[in-house]
Amino acid sequence: LAGINAWPGMLTNPAWELSAFNDKSKERLESLLKKWELDYGFVNDRVGMATPRLLSMIINEASFTVQEGTASEVDIDQAMKLGVNYPGGPFTWLAKFGHANVVGLLEKMQAETGNPRYKIAPYLKQQMRKKHAEAML
């Protein structure tokens, strides 16, 4: 029994992000992955694994920044690409991953941990509702 980070675009990364239910599952999976010559890395078996958790938090913080009027989505994406050398900005990732995926993960992380740092930016929820309404048309 294992988990894989299969968010949109993640399976095309050079290395797959995986989690295993237990050591026996991890050993079996590692033997298969080595036979298939796939690059991989294991993370703890937690809601959202590692990369989606981190990117969702960055997207959420960027959404608070737009909501506060500090910068636009375009400005933030550009700043993250030029200033931090990220391959994409938070809103580029949001479009790729889907609003419902990001909001859903943040909700699950907050429910799992009870930590207020996972509070979802109202702007992000508003944009999710807008995308959902557009899809219904």
Side-chain angles (χ1 to χ4, degrees):
L1 187 59
I4 186 167
N5 174 6
W7 270 32
M10 293 293 164
L11 293 177
T12 59
N13 286 342
W16 286 0
E17 183 177 335
L18 306 165
S19 65
F21 178 68
N22 57 31
D23 289 340
K24 188 176 181 180
S25 294
K26 184 177 178 180
E27 289 170 15
R28 286 181 176 174
L29 186 56
E30 281 185 307
S31 70
L32 282 175
L33 293 167
K34 286 177 184 173
K35 284 180 188 175
W36 297 334
E37 299 179 356
L38 293 173
D39 197 8
Y40 60 91
F42 279 94
V43 297
N44 290 335
D45 191 24
R46 298 280 309 270
V47 171
M49 302 182 88
T51 305
R53 287 174 76 101
L54 292 169
L55 295 179
S56 292
M57 290 295 294
I58 291 170
I59 291 165
N60 198 41
E61 285 301 317
S63 296
F64 276 116
T65 303
V66 170
Q67 177 181 315
E68 294 162 356
T70 304
S72 71
E73 290 184 13
V74 172
D75 293 337
I76 292 169
D77 271 359
Q78 178 126 356
M80 295 302 283
K81 287 187 239 177
L82 297 176
V84 192
N85 203 26
Y86 281 7
F91 296 100
T92 301
W93 292 328
L94 179 59
K96 184 177 188 177
F97 302 147
H99 290 72
N101 286 335
V102 172
V103 169
L105 177 55
L106 290 165
E107 288 172 342
K108 288 175 183 150
M109 290 188 309
Q110 188 171 39
E112 177 186 59
T113 65
N115 195 320
R117 71 180 172 170
Y118 299 116
K119 178 181 183 249
I120 301 165
Y123 177 81
L124 181 56
K125 283 186 178 180
Q126 177 189 32
Q127 294 304 305
M128 181 185 72
R129 287 190 293 272
K130 181 179 172 186
K131 291 288 181 188
H132 181 72
E134 290 171 357
M136 299 299 287
L137 296 177

